[in-house]
Amino acid sequence: MAANAEFVSYIQEQLAPLGALTTSPFFGGRAIKYRGQQFAWIIGSTLYLRVDDATRADFEAEGAQPFKYTTKKGEVTVRKFYTAPEFLLDDPEQLLGWSRRAIEVAAD
């Protein structure tokens, strides 16, 4: 599923205070990068943020799910990207905070 252009624009607007972000095609969606490091991506109207072992529990506590897709051999789970918790989409300050954490994870 391709990234929803309107949703991509909305997220870019919300993340603008982070500074110079770039986007590019990625896995059928749009990658979002900060200083060349991919910290998020959008597929359809879903925002995924980069996680690591230290931040994954926070995402799971909010009901976020890892990215999954199906191949001929079965389902594949990508545990480096989790859905952004729903409340972030209505709270720009929280979205910026969680995105900053995703940027830190991507930089490591």
Side-chain angles (χ1 to χ4, degrees):
M1 175 185 293
N4 176 304
E6 185 176 311
F7 186 69
V8 171
S9 293
Y10 172 75
I11 294 299
Q12 286 179 300
E13 180 181 305
Q14 297 302 305
L15 297 180
L18 295 174
L21 299 178
T22 58
T23 67
S24 61
F26 179 75
F27 205 63
R30 295 295 296 175
I32 304 173
K33 298 177 184 177
Y34 178 80
R35 296 186 179 169
Q37 297 290 320
Q38 182 178 348
F39 72 95
W41 67 295
I42 296 170
I43 192 158
S45 293
T46 302
L47 173 65
Y48 292 87
L49 294 173
R50 183 85 183 253
V51 302
D52 63 7
D53 292 338
T55 60
R56 187 174 292 111
D58 294 334
F59 282 78
E60 290 174 343
E62 295 294 339
Q65 298 293 313
F67 176 69
K68 296 179 184 182
Y69 64 96
T70 304
T71 68
K72 292 179 183 178
K73 294 182 180 183
E75 188 172 78
V76 176
T77 301
V78 180
R79 294 186 46 83
K80 289 185 179 184
F81 286 94
Y82 269 64
T83 56
E86 284 293 316
F87 74 90
L88 296 181
L89 301 179
D90 296 322
D91 187 335
E93 289 303 315
Q94 288 278 350
L95 178 58
L96 287 171
W98 285 58
S99 294
R100 285 185 182 101
R101 291 173 57 201
I103 288 169
E104 290 173 8
V105 169
D108 286 342

